Amino acid sequence: MSWHPQYRSSKFRHVYGKAAGKEKCYDCVPITLNVHDNHFCAVNPNFIAVVTECAGGGAFLVIPIKQTGKLDPHYPKVCGHKGNVLDIKWNPFNDFVIASCSEDSTVKIWDIPNELLKRNITSPKKELLGHARRVGLIEWHPTAHNILFSSGYDYKIMIWNLDVKEAVIKDPVKILDAHTDVVLSMSFNTDGSLLATACRDRKIRVIDPRAGTVLQEANYRSHRVNKVLFLGNMEKLFSTGTSRWNNRQIALWDQNDLSVPLLEEDLDGSSGLLFPIYDSDTHMLYVVGKGDGNIRYYEISPEKPYLNYLMEYRSLLPQKGIGMMPKRGLDVSACEIFRFYKLIPTKSLIEPISMIVPRRSESYQEDIYPLTAAAQPALTAQQWLSGVNKGPLLVSLRPGSGAVSSQPQFLEPESLMETTDVSQQPVWGGRMPLEDKQKPREIEDDRKQLKVQEKLPETEQMCLSNSFDIFECPPPKTENELLQMFYRQQEEIRRLRELVNQRDVQIKQLELELRNRCTDTGSY
């Protein structure tokens, strides 16, 4: 069992799950009865797509995200497959394009109109023909535009380039045939340069998808893996599966050494599959049980004990599948850090579940919403196929903000000094406390001091406000160095704000004591 400390400092220690009310659920949805181990649901800020039952082939529903309540039984479907639909995924860079795969051994790309559907969609935008048997998994590349991976029961993973004019594509750009059995799970690292797979032969593999070579392979027999997941840039893998005694089990692995897991823990004796879902922004890991109503969530740390248990959301209604809203679709005013869409086939219901950080303030909370992946691709398909790697473009979730490039901009010392100026830090913008609003004179004094500092010689300006010198710490040359500097500045500003608030409290206490003494002396 993993070690759970009694007290641990964390912003997400008190995160709780909140189910939506009946009026915000999707009712009378004919959810599929297929027993395939997939999510069966895909969500973006505009639509929710759900695999459904359909006579004479496979189909799925595409419902506008705001169209809650009871669904019309004659609501149009997307029904172009000849077999059951096994997986659906929205394009991460286009909210109106969705991919689906089916038992008919095809993958289809669909254009969804920006309006309410009035009739069935039967003609796909593109059709991918290459697999000899049914296709069970599809995944979009996280940073490259129009690159799609598909995995079939022919034990092959195919890489497709959709940046072509042909409506029917028969030749994938690459075929990965490193597996000896059915691939159960696929996961990319942050920049999409590595692919982790879980196979029915109980092995975890880390593959270079462009070269087609297996970089690491796990032969650990006491953990029968079902799902595997890259944990962002932490160079770790997380897997769910079963132990030798058929207990549901989770395991944590070093990406560069898959011989023995770093951590292994039995959860319970249930038979349902465990879906792992990782939020790289908050470093929170969610483990969703298929066939039960529980969602366990943990916080990942780079040092031991690695996996810190937070809490568990419990419900009496079992879930068959789950959908996840991208971060750009969350309600930041309610401090919502994640949102699930739970498929409940026993009630034909889709129930949104919001994971919320309890905060009293209604303003934007910068500390729980770091820069997140934007809806723009960082690379073209041809750039990625030629060997270029690039992290996702980043965007702030603050209302009204724009996209931020993940590529570091090499700043001159003077411009670096300007970006680290306290008056221009994004942490201050939009989050001015009530005490600051009530003290305009003090704000004006601070601005005067800043103007005086701007008039200082250049040699004195080189000393930065966040405790490091530009000569001792040169400008960042990599994305990680830039992010580290950014987080260091945020932490320093947070500490300074706490000091200022403590000083304000002390001043008020002294003023109150002085007033009490004056009243005491006046009474005599």
PDB file of all heavy atoms in Angstrom, residues 178-180 197-206 214-225 237 239 244 253-254 257-261 264:
ATOM      1  N   ALA A 178       5.048  -3.743 -33.590  1.00  0.00           N
ATOM      2  CA  ALA A 178       5.888  -4.249 -32.502  1.00  0.00           C
ATOM      3  C   ALA A 178       5.115  -5.111 -31.509  1.00  0.00           C
ATOM      4  O   ALA A 178       5.705  -5.619 -30.553  1.00  0.00           O
ATOM      5  CB  ALA A 178       6.536  -3.075 -31.763  1.00  0.00           C
ATOM      6  N   HIS A 179       3.798  -5.274 -31.710  1.00  0.00           N
ATOM      7  CA  HIS A 179       2.982  -5.979 -30.729  1.00  0.00           C
ATOM      8  C   HIS A 179       2.622  -7.378 -31.229  1.00  0.00           C
ATOM      9  O   HIS A 179       2.457  -7.604 -32.433  1.00  0.00           O
ATOM     10  CB  HIS A 179       1.707  -5.185 -30.427  1.00  0.00           C
ATOM     11  CG  HIS A 179       1.973  -3.813 -29.886  1.00  0.00           C
ATOM     12  ND1 HIS A 179       2.184  -2.727 -30.707  1.00  0.00           N
ATOM     13  CD2 HIS A 179       2.086  -3.362 -28.613  1.00  0.00           C
ATOM     14  CE1 HIS A 179       2.396  -1.648 -29.960  1.00  0.00           C
ATOM     15  NE2 HIS A 179       2.346  -2.013 -28.695  1.00  0.00           N
ATOM     16  N   THR A 180       2.486  -8.282 -30.282  1.00  0.00           N
ATOM     17  CA  THR A 180       2.130  -9.666 -30.594  1.00  0.00           C
ATOM     18  C   THR A 180       0.690  -9.995 -30.226  1.00  0.00           C
ATOM     19  O   THR A 180       0.262 -11.133 -30.374  1.00  0.00           O
ATOM     20  CB  THR A 180       3.070 -10.625 -29.852  1.00  0.00           C
ATOM     21  OG1 THR A 180       2.963 -10.392 -28.437  1.00  0.00           O
ATOM     22  CG2 THR A 180       4.513 -10.405 -30.274  1.00  0.00           C
ATOM     23  N   THR A 197       2.234   2.065 -24.812  1.00  0.00           N
ATOM     24  CA  THR A 197       1.131   1.147 -25.124  1.00  0.00           C
ATOM     25  C   THR A 197       1.033   0.063 -24.068  1.00  0.00           C
ATOM     26  O   THR A 197       2.031  -0.356 -23.483  1.00  0.00           O
ATOM     27  CB  THR A 197       1.326   0.484 -26.504  1.00  0.00           C
ATOM     28  OG1 THR A 197       2.516  -0.312 -26.475  1.00  0.00           O
ATOM     29  CG2 THR A 197       1.417   1.517 -27.601  1.00  0.00           C
ATOM     30  N   ALA A 198      -0.191  -0.379 -23.831  1.00  0.00           N
ATOM     31  CA  ALA A 198      -0.457  -1.559 -23.003  1.00  0.00           C
ATOM     32  C   ALA A 198      -1.057  -2.619 -23.914  1.00  0.00           C
ATOM     33  O   ALA A 198      -1.984  -2.334 -24.682  1.00  0.00           O
ATOM     34  CB  ALA A 198      -1.413  -1.216 -21.867  1.00  0.00           C
ATOM     35  N   CYS A 199      -0.526  -3.813 -23.822  1.00  0.00           N
ATOM     36  CA  CYS A 199      -0.919  -4.881 -24.743  1.00  0.00           C
ATOM     37  C   CYS A 199      -1.509  -6.046 -23.957  1.00  0.00           C
ATOM     38  O   CYS A 199      -1.272  -6.198 -22.757  1.00  0.00           O
ATOM     39  CB  CYS A 199       0.299  -5.336 -25.544  1.00  0.00           C
ATOM     40  SG  CYS A 199      -0.059  -6.545 -26.831  1.00  0.00           S
ATOM     41  N   ARG A 200      -2.298  -6.861 -24.647  1.00  0.00           N
ATOM     42  CA  ARG A 200      -2.904  -8.019 -23.995  1.00  0.00           C
ATOM     43  C   ARG A 200      -1.859  -9.076 -23.613  1.00  0.00           C
ATOM     44  O   ARG A 200      -2.152  -9.981 -22.843  1.00  0.00           O
ATOM     45  CB  ARG A 200      -3.974  -8.611 -24.905  1.00  0.00           C
ATOM     46  CG  ARG A 200      -4.897  -9.589 -24.208  1.00  0.00           C
ATOM     47  CD  ARG A 200      -6.026 -10.033 -25.115  1.00  0.00           C
ATOM     48  NE  ARG A 200      -7.073  -9.020 -25.214  1.00  0.00           N
ATOM     49  CZ  ARG A 200      -8.109  -9.089 -26.049  1.00  0.00           C
ATOM     50  NH1 ARG A 200      -8.210 -10.124 -26.875  1.00  0.00           N
ATOM     51  NH2 ARG A 200      -9.014  -8.140 -26.083  1.00  0.00           N
ATOM     52  N   ASP A 201      -0.653  -8.980 -24.137  1.00  0.00           N
ATOM     53  CA  ASP A 201       0.417  -9.889 -23.725  1.00  0.00           C
ATOM     54  C   ASP A 201       1.040  -9.475 -22.391  1.00  0.00           C
ATOM     55  O   ASP A 201       2.093  -9.972 -22.016  1.00  0.00           O
ATOM     56  CB  ASP A 201       1.495  -9.989 -24.799  1.00  0.00           C
ATOM     57  CG  ASP A 201       2.174  -8.649 -25.086  1.00  0.00           C
ATOM     58  OD1 ASP A 201       1.905  -7.675 -24.353  1.00  0.00           O
ATOM     59  OD2 ASP A 201       2.971  -8.577 -26.031  1.00  0.00           O
ATOM     60  N   ARG A 202       0.392  -8.511 -21.676  1.00  0.00           N
ATOM     61  CA  ARG A 202       0.752  -8.037 -20.339  1.00  0.00           C
ATOM     62  C   ARG A 202       2.014  -7.183 -20.330  1.00  0.00           C
ATOM     63  O   ARG A 202       2.608  -6.958 -19.274  1.00  0.00           O
ATOM     64  CB  ARG A 202       0.932  -9.203 -19.359  1.00  0.00           C
ATOM     65  CG  ARG A 202      -0.266 -10.118 -19.248  1.00  0.00           C
ATOM     66  CD  ARG A 202      -0.028 -11.204 -18.246  1.00  0.00           C
ATOM     67  NE  ARG A 202      -1.158 -12.139 -18.178  1.00  0.00           N
ATOM     68  CZ  ARG A 202      -1.196 -13.196 -17.376  1.00  0.00           C
ATOM     69  NH1 ARG A 202      -0.177 -13.454 -16.576  1.00  0.00           N
ATOM     70  NH2 ARG A 202      -2.249 -13.983 -17.379  1.00  0.00           N
ATOM     71  N   LYS A 203       2.430  -6.670 -21.466  1.00  0.00           N
ATOM     72  CA  LYS A 203       3.640  -5.864 -21.541  1.00  0.00           C
ATOM     73  C   LYS A 203       3.306  -4.397 -21.788  1.00  0.00           C
ATOM     74  O   LYS A 203       2.367  -4.076 -22.513  1.00  0.00           O
ATOM     75  CB  LYS A 203       4.551  -6.368 -22.670  1.00  0.00           C
ATOM     76  CG  LYS A 203       5.147  -7.747 -22.418  1.00  0.00           C
ATOM     77  CD  LYS A 203       6.060  -8.143 -23.563  1.00  0.00           C
ATOM     78  CE  LYS A 203       6.664  -9.524 -23.322  1.00  0.00           C
ATOM     79  NZ  LYS A 203       7.555  -9.929 -24.430  1.00  0.00           N
ATOM     80  N   ILE A 204       4.110  -3.545 -21.145  1.00  0.00           N
ATOM     81  CA  ILE A 204       4.052  -2.104 -21.410  1.00  0.00           C
ATOM     82  C   ILE A 204       5.240  -1.774 -22.300  1.00  0.00           C
ATOM     83  O   ILE A 204       6.374  -2.184 -22.029  1.00  0.00           O
ATOM     84  CB  ILE A 204       4.114  -1.292 -20.097  1.00  0.00           C
ATOM     85  CG1 ILE A 204       2.914  -1.611 -19.207  1.00  0.00           C
ATOM     86  CG2 ILE A 204       4.174   0.198 -20.394  1.00  0.00           C
ATOM     87  CD1 ILE A 204       2.984  -0.950 -17.842  1.00  0.00           C
ATOM     88  N   ARG A 205       4.993  -1.021 -23.356  1.00  0.00           N
ATOM     89  CA  ARG A 205       6.068  -0.640 -24.280  1.00  0.00           C
ATOM     90  C   ARG A 205       6.098   0.875 -24.437  1.00  0.00           C
ATOM     91  O   ARG A 205       5.052   1.527 -24.496  1.00  0.00           O
ATOM     92  CB  ARG A 205       5.872  -1.290 -25.645  1.00  0.00           C
ATOM     93  CG  ARG A 205       5.991  -2.810 -25.649  1.00  0.00           C
ATOM     94  CD  ARG A 205       5.646  -3.381 -27.022  1.00  0.00           C
ATOM     95  NE  ARG A 205       5.836  -4.829 -27.099  1.00  0.00           N
ATOM     96  CZ  ARG A 205       4.923  -5.727 -26.736  1.00  0.00           C
ATOM     97  NH1 ARG A 205       3.731  -5.314 -26.272  1.00  0.00           N
ATOM     98  NH2 ARG A 205       5.164  -7.018 -26.834  1.00  0.00           N
ATOM     99  N   VAL A 206       7.304   1.410 -24.512  1.00  0.00           N
ATOM    100  CA  VAL A 206       7.513   2.820 -24.867  1.00  0.00           C
ATOM    101  C   VAL A 206       8.143   2.828 -26.248  1.00  0.00           C
ATOM    102  O   VAL A 206       9.224   2.259 -26.456  1.00  0.00           O
ATOM    103  CB  VAL A 206       8.401   3.538 -23.848  1.00  0.00           C
ATOM    104  CG1 VAL A 206       8.667   4.977 -24.288  1.00  0.00           C
ATOM    105  CG2 VAL A 206       7.750   3.535 -22.465  1.00  0.00           C
ATOM    106  N   VAL A 214      11.067   0.060 -30.379  1.00  0.00           N
ATOM    107  CA  VAL A 214      10.653  -0.068 -28.985  1.00  0.00           C
ATOM    108  C   VAL A 214      11.827   0.355 -28.101  1.00  0.00           C
ATOM    109  O   VAL A 214      12.890  -0.282 -28.103  1.00  0.00           O
ATOM    110  CB  VAL A 214      10.227  -1.513 -28.665  1.00  0.00           C
ATOM    111  CG1 VAL A 214       9.851  -1.637 -27.198  1.00  0.00           C
ATOM    112  CG2 VAL A 214       9.063  -1.927 -29.552  1.00  0.00           C
ATOM    113  N   LEU A 215      11.640   1.429 -27.339  1.00  0.00           N
ATOM    114  CA  LEU A 215      12.713   1.945 -26.484  1.00  0.00           C
ATOM    115  C   LEU A 215      12.758   1.250 -25.137  1.00  0.00           C
ATOM    116  O   LEU A 215      13.832   1.027 -24.577  1.00  0.00           O
ATOM    117  CB  LEU A 215      12.530   3.457 -26.287  1.00  0.00           C
ATOM    118  CG  LEU A 215      12.428   4.302 -27.566  1.00  0.00           C
ATOM    119  CD1 LEU A 215      12.215   5.767 -27.224  1.00  0.00           C
ATOM    120  CD2 LEU A 215      13.684   4.132 -28.422  1.00  0.00           C
ATOM    121  N   GLN A 216      11.614   0.917 -24.576  1.00  0.00           N
ATOM    122  CA  GLN A 216      11.526   0.232 -23.285  1.00  0.00           C
ATOM    123  C   GLN A 216      10.395  -0.779 -23.337  1.00  0.00           C
ATOM    124  O   GLN A 216       9.391  -0.567 -24.025  1.00  0.00           O
ATOM    125  CB  GLN A 216      11.273   1.231 -22.140  1.00  0.00           C
ATOM    126  CG  GLN A 216      12.433   2.157 -21.819  1.00  0.00           C
ATOM    127  CD  GLN A 216      13.563   1.433 -21.110  1.00  0.00           C
ATOM    128  OE1 GLN A 216      13.328   0.461 -20.396  1.00  0.00           O
ATOM    129  NE2 GLN A 216      14.776   1.912 -21.311  1.00  0.00           N
ATOM    130  N   GLU A 217      10.577  -1.874 -22.591  1.00  0.00           N
ATOM    131  CA  GLU A 217       9.540  -2.901 -22.545  1.00  0.00           C
ATOM    132  C   GLU A 217       9.500  -3.502 -21.148  1.00  0.00           C
ATOM    133  O   GLU A 217      10.548  -3.828 -20.573  1.00  0.00           O
ATOM    134  CB  GLU A 217       9.837  -3.986 -23.580  1.00  0.00           C
ATOM    135  CG  GLU A 217       8.731  -5.019 -23.726  1.00  0.00           C
ATOM    136  CD  GLU A 217       8.989  -5.979 -24.879  1.00  0.00           C
ATOM    137  OE1 GLU A 217       8.873  -5.537 -26.040  1.00  0.00           O
ATOM    138  OE2 GLU A 217       9.342  -7.142 -24.612  1.00  0.00           O
ATOM    139  N   ALA A 218       8.303  -3.614 -20.577  1.00  0.00           N
ATOM    140  CA  ALA A 218       8.139  -4.147 -19.221  1.00  0.00           C
ATOM    141  C   ALA A 218       7.705  -5.605 -19.294  1.00  0.00           C
ATOM    142  O   ALA A 218       6.754  -5.947 -20.007  1.00  0.00           O
ATOM    143  CB  ALA A 218       7.101  -3.329 -18.453  1.00  0.00           C
ATOM    144  N   ASN A 219       8.409  -6.449 -18.551  1.00  0.00           N
ATOM    145  CA  ASN A 219       8.070  -7.872 -18.469  1.00  0.00           C
ATOM    146  C   ASN A 219       7.698  -8.262 -17.041  1.00  0.00           C
ATOM    147  O   ASN A 219       7.956  -9.374 -16.608  1.00  0.00           O
ATOM    148  CB  ASN A 219       9.259  -8.728 -18.938  1.00  0.00           C
ATOM    149  CG  ASN A 219       9.451  -8.655 -20.432  1.00  0.00           C
ATOM    150  OD1 ASN A 219       8.498  -8.821 -21.181  1.00  0.00           O
ATOM    151  ND2 ASN A 219      10.665  -8.387 -20.864  1.00  0.00           N
ATOM    152  N   TYR A 220       7.099  -7.323 -16.323  1.00  0.00           N
ATOM    153  CA  TYR A 220       6.768  -7.545 -14.915  1.00  0.00           C
ATOM    154  C   TYR A 220       5.480  -8.362 -14.835  1.00  0.00           C
ATOM    155  O   TYR A 220       4.397  -7.879 -15.167  1.00  0.00           O
ATOM    156  CB  TYR A 220       6.614  -6.195 -14.218  1.00  0.00           C
ATOM    157  CG  TYR A 220       6.571  -6.269 -12.711  1.00  0.00           C
ATOM    158  CD1 TYR A 220       7.693  -6.612 -11.980  1.00  0.00           C
ATOM    159  CD2 TYR A 220       5.400  -5.962 -12.029  1.00  0.00           C
ATOM    160  CE1 TYR A 220       7.659  -6.655 -10.595  1.00  0.00           C
ATOM    161  CE2 TYR A 220       5.353  -6.012 -10.645  1.00  0.00           C
ATOM    162  CZ  TYR A 220       6.485  -6.364  -9.945  1.00  0.00           C
ATOM    163  OH  TYR A 220       6.450  -6.412  -8.565  1.00  0.00           O
ATOM    164  N   ARG A 221       5.577  -9.616 -14.408  1.00  0.00           N
ATOM    165  CA  ARG A 221       4.471 -10.561 -14.532  1.00  0.00           C
ATOM    166  C   ARG A 221       3.423 -10.452 -13.439  1.00  0.00           C
ATOM    167  O   ARG A 221       2.310 -10.946 -13.603  1.00  0.00           O
ATOM    168  CB  ARG A 221       5.032 -11.994 -14.548  1.00  0.00           C
ATOM    169  CG  ARG A 221       5.757 -12.337 -15.835  1.00  0.00           C
ATOM    170  CD  ARG A 221       4.778 -12.321 -16.995  1.00  0.00           C
ATOM    171  NE  ARG A 221       5.446 -12.455 -18.286  1.00  0.00           N
ATOM    172  CZ  ARG A 221       4.818 -12.428 -19.444  1.00  0.00           C
ATOM    173  NH1 ARG A 221       3.509 -12.264 -19.468  1.00  0.00           N
ATOM    174  NH2 ARG A 221       5.471 -12.535 -20.585  1.00  0.00           N
ATOM    175  N   SER A 222       3.735  -9.830 -12.297  1.00  0.00           N
ATOM    176  CA  SER A 222       2.741  -9.782 -11.218  1.00  0.00           C
ATOM    177  C   SER A 222       1.735  -8.644 -11.405  1.00  0.00           C
ATOM    178  O   SER A 222       0.845  -8.470 -10.578  1.00  0.00           O
ATOM    179  CB  SER A 222       3.445  -9.628  -9.865  1.00  0.00           C
ATOM    180  OG  SER A 222       4.144  -8.397  -9.810  1.00  0.00           O
ATOM    181  N   HIS A 223       1.890  -7.851 -12.468  1.00  0.00           N
ATOM    182  CA  HIS A 223       0.941  -6.772 -12.768  1.00  0.00           C
ATOM    183  C   HIS A 223       0.451  -6.956 -14.193  1.00  0.00           C
ATOM    184  O   HIS A 223       1.191  -6.741 -15.160  1.00  0.00           O
ATOM    185  CB  HIS A 223       1.618  -5.414 -12.590  1.00  0.00           C
ATOM    186  CG  HIS A 223       0.735  -4.250 -12.951  1.00  0.00           C
ATOM    187  ND1 HIS A 223      -0.321  -3.843 -12.165  1.00  0.00           N
ATOM    188  CD2 HIS A 223       0.753  -3.399 -14.011  1.00  0.00           C
ATOM    189  CE1 HIS A 223      -0.913  -2.802 -12.729  1.00  0.00           C
ATOM    190  NE2 HIS A 223      -0.283  -2.518 -13.846  1.00  0.00           N
ATOM    191  N   ARG A 224      -0.805  -7.383 -14.343  1.00  0.00           N
ATOM    192  CA  ARG A 224      -1.405  -7.570 -15.663  1.00  0.00           C
ATOM    193  C   ARG A 224      -2.053  -6.255 -16.091  1.00  0.00           C
ATOM    194  O   ARG A 224      -3.112  -5.885 -15.590  1.00  0.00           O
ATOM    195  CB  ARG A 224      -2.424  -8.706 -15.620  1.00  0.00           C
ATOM    196  CG  ARG A 224      -1.776 -10.073 -15.412  1.00  0.00           C
ATOM    197  CD  ARG A 224      -2.796 -11.185 -15.332  1.00  0.00           C
ATOM    198  NE  ARG A 224      -3.571 -11.120 -14.099  1.00  0.00           N
ATOM    199  CZ  ARG A 224      -4.474 -12.029 -13.738  1.00  0.00           C
ATOM    200  NH1 ARG A 224      -4.736 -13.052 -14.527  1.00  0.00           N
ATOM    201  NH2 ARG A 224      -5.119 -11.908 -12.602  1.00  0.00           N
ATOM    202  N   VAL A 225      -1.415  -5.567 -17.003  1.00  0.00           N
ATOM    203  CA  VAL A 225      -1.786  -4.193 -17.324  1.00  0.00           C
ATOM    204  C   VAL A 225      -2.986  -4.156 -18.273  1.00  0.00           C
ATOM    205  O   VAL A 225      -3.126  -4.994 -19.169  1.00  0.00           O
ATOM    206  CB  VAL A 225      -0.574  -3.449 -17.923  1.00  0.00           C
ATOM    207  CG1 VAL A 225      -0.142  -4.104 -19.233  1.00  0.00           C
ATOM    208  CG2 VAL A 225      -0.872  -1.981 -18.143  1.00  0.00           C
ATOM    209  N   LEU A 237       5.334   6.687 -15.928  1.00  0.00           N
ATOM    210  CA  LEU A 237       4.141   6.082 -16.490  1.00  0.00           C
ATOM    211  C   LEU A 237       3.265   5.579 -15.354  1.00  0.00           C
ATOM    212  O   LEU A 237       3.767   5.147 -14.311  1.00  0.00           O
ATOM    213  CB  LEU A 237       4.499   4.902 -17.392  1.00  0.00           C
ATOM    214  CG  LEU A 237       5.295   5.189 -18.672  1.00  0.00           C
ATOM    215  CD1 LEU A 237       5.704   3.887 -19.320  1.00  0.00           C
ATOM    216  CD2 LEU A 237       4.486   6.025 -19.625  1.00  0.00           C
ATOM    217  N   SER A 239      -0.051   2.943 -14.666  1.00  0.00           N
ATOM    218  CA  SER A 239      -0.834   1.871 -15.290  1.00  0.00           C
ATOM    219  C   SER A 239      -1.853   1.320 -14.311  1.00  0.00           C
ATOM    220  O   SER A 239      -1.659   1.368 -13.091  1.00  0.00           O
ATOM    221  CB  SER A 239       0.084   0.746 -15.772  1.00  0.00           C
ATOM    222  OG  SER A 239       0.718   0.100 -14.683  1.00  0.00           O
ATOM    223  N   ARG A 244      -1.938 -10.812  -9.363  1.00  0.00           N
ATOM    224  CA  ARG A 244      -2.016 -12.269  -9.539  1.00  0.00           C
ATOM    225  C   ARG A 244      -3.277 -12.840  -8.895  1.00  0.00           C
ATOM    226  O   ARG A 244      -3.760 -13.897  -9.301  1.00  0.00           O
ATOM    227  CB  ARG A 244      -0.777 -12.919  -8.930  1.00  0.00           C
ATOM    228  CG  ARG A 244       0.500 -12.659  -9.715  1.00  0.00           C
ATOM    229  CD  ARG A 244       1.684 -13.307  -9.022  1.00  0.00           C
ATOM    230  NE  ARG A 244       2.910 -13.132  -9.799  1.00  0.00           N
ATOM    231  CZ  ARG A 244       4.107 -13.539  -9.375  1.00  0.00           C
ATOM    232  NH1 ARG A 244       4.229 -14.122  -8.196  1.00  0.00           N
ATOM    233  NH2 ARG A 244       5.169 -13.348 -10.133  1.00  0.00           N
ATOM    234  N   TRP A 253       5.629   3.720 -12.869  1.00  0.00           N
ATOM    235  CA  TRP A 253       6.850   3.241 -13.505  1.00  0.00           C
ATOM    236  C   TRP A 253       7.756   4.403 -13.861  1.00  0.00           C
ATOM    237  O   TRP A 253       7.290   5.507 -14.163  1.00  0.00           O
ATOM    238  CB  TRP A 253       6.520   2.478 -14.792  1.00  0.00           C
ATOM    239  CG  TRP A 253       5.506   1.397 -14.665  1.00  0.00           C
ATOM    240  CD1 TRP A 253       4.147   1.549 -14.608  1.00  0.00           C
ATOM    241  CD2 TRP A 253       5.746  -0.015 -14.561  1.00  0.00           C
ATOM    242  NE1 TRP A 253       3.533   0.334 -14.486  1.00  0.00           N
ATOM    243  CE2 TRP A 253       4.484  -0.652 -14.458  1.00  0.00           C
ATOM    244  CE3 TRP A 253       6.893  -0.800 -14.562  1.00  0.00           C
ATOM    245  CZ2 TRP A 253       4.353  -2.024 -14.354  1.00  0.00           C
ATOM    246  CZ3 TRP A 253       6.764  -2.177 -14.461  1.00  0.00           C
ATOM    247  CH2 TRP A 253       5.515  -2.782 -14.360  1.00  0.00           C
ATOM    248  N   ASP A 254       9.061   4.115 -13.855  1.00  0.00           N
ATOM    249  CA  ASP A 254      10.033   5.051 -14.407  1.00  0.00           C
ATOM    250  C   ASP A 254      10.046   4.858 -15.918  1.00  0.00           C
ATOM    251  O   ASP A 254      10.218   3.746 -16.421  1.00  0.00           O
ATOM    252  CB  ASP A 254      11.412   4.777 -13.810  1.00  0.00           C
ATOM    253  CG  ASP A 254      12.463   5.775 -14.287  1.00  0.00           C
ATOM    254  OD1 ASP A 254      12.138   6.609 -15.153  1.00  0.00           O
ATOM    255  OD2 ASP A 254      13.607   5.715 -13.794  1.00  0.00           O
ATOM    256  N   ASP A 257      13.094   3.028 -17.185  1.00  0.00           N
ATOM    257  CA  ASP A 257      13.419   1.714 -16.641  1.00  0.00           C
ATOM    258  C   ASP A 257      12.118   1.022 -16.244  1.00  0.00           C
ATOM    259  O   ASP A 257      11.553   1.296 -15.183  1.00  0.00           O
ATOM    260  CB  ASP A 257      14.358   1.857 -15.435  1.00  0.00           C
ATOM    261  CG  ASP A 257      14.749   0.504 -14.857  1.00  0.00           C
ATOM    262  OD1 ASP A 257      14.527  -0.518 -15.538  1.00  0.00           O
ATOM    263  OD2 ASP A 257      15.264   0.468 -13.723  1.00  0.00           O
ATOM    264  N   LEU A 258      11.647   0.129 -17.090  1.00  0.00           N
ATOM    265  CA  LEU A 258      10.373  -0.550 -16.860  1.00  0.00           C
ATOM    266  C   LEU A 258      10.557  -1.944 -16.271  1.00  0.00           C
ATOM    267  O   LEU A 258       9.640  -2.764 -16.327  1.00  0.00           O
ATOM    268  CB  LEU A 258       9.581  -0.649 -18.170  1.00  0.00           C
ATOM    269  CG  LEU A 258       9.188   0.674 -18.840  1.00  0.00           C
ATOM    270  CD1 LEU A 258       8.408   0.412 -20.120  1.00  0.00           C
ATOM    271  CD2 LEU A 258       8.379   1.548 -17.904  1.00  0.00           C
ATOM    272  N   SER A 259      11.721  -2.212 -15.695  1.00  0.00           N
ATOM    273  CA  SER A 259      11.968  -3.549 -15.154  1.00  0.00           C
ATOM    274  C   SER A 259      11.115  -3.820 -13.912  1.00  0.00           C
ATOM    275  O   SER A 259      10.525  -4.896 -13.778  1.00  0.00           O
ATOM    276  CB  SER A 259      13.454  -3.722 -14.829  1.00  0.00           C
ATOM    277  OG  SER A 259      13.874  -2.714 -13.913  1.00  0.00           O
ATOM    278  N   VAL A 260      11.053  -2.851 -13.007  1.00  0.00           N
ATOM    279  CA  VAL A 260      10.294  -2.994 -11.760  1.00  0.00           C
ATOM    280  C   VAL A 260       9.535  -1.694 -11.519  1.00  0.00           C
ATOM    281  O   VAL A 260      10.100  -0.612 -11.699  1.00  0.00           O
ATOM    282  CB  VAL A 260      11.222  -3.297 -10.563  1.00  0.00           C
ATOM    283  CG1 VAL A 260      10.428  -3.376  -9.272  1.00  0.00           C
ATOM    284  CG2 VAL A 260      11.988  -4.591 -10.788  1.00  0.00           C
ATOM    285  N   PRO A 261       8.280  -1.753 -11.115  1.00  0.00           N
ATOM    286  CA  PRO A 261       7.545  -0.499 -10.857  1.00  0.00           C
ATOM    287  C   PRO A 261       8.079   0.238  -9.632  1.00  0.00           C
ATOM    288  O   PRO A 261       8.564  -0.380  -8.677  1.00  0.00           O
ATOM    289  CB  PRO A 261       6.102  -0.974 -10.649  1.00  0.00           C
ATOM    290  CG  PRO A 261       6.204  -2.399 -10.259  1.00  0.00           C
ATOM    291  CD  PRO A 261       7.418  -2.943 -10.942  1.00  0.00           C
ATOM    292  N   GLU A 264       3.472   0.048  -6.351  1.00  0.00           N
ATOM    293  CA  GLU A 264       2.444  -0.913  -6.721  1.00  0.00           C
ATOM    294  C   GLU A 264       1.442  -0.989  -5.578  1.00  0.00           C
ATOM    295  O   GLU A 264       1.834  -1.119  -4.417  1.00  0.00           O
ATOM    296  CB  GLU A 264       3.091  -2.277  -6.966  1.00  0.00           C
ATOM    297  CG  GLU A 264       2.255  -3.250  -7.762  1.00  0.00           C
ATOM    298  CD  GLU A 264       3.035  -4.531  -8.034  1.00  0.00           C
ATOM    299  OE1 GLU A 264       4.139  -4.704  -7.469  1.00  0.00           O
ATOM    300  OE2 GLU A 264       2.529  -5.353  -8.795  1.00  0.00           O
TER     301      GLU A 264
END
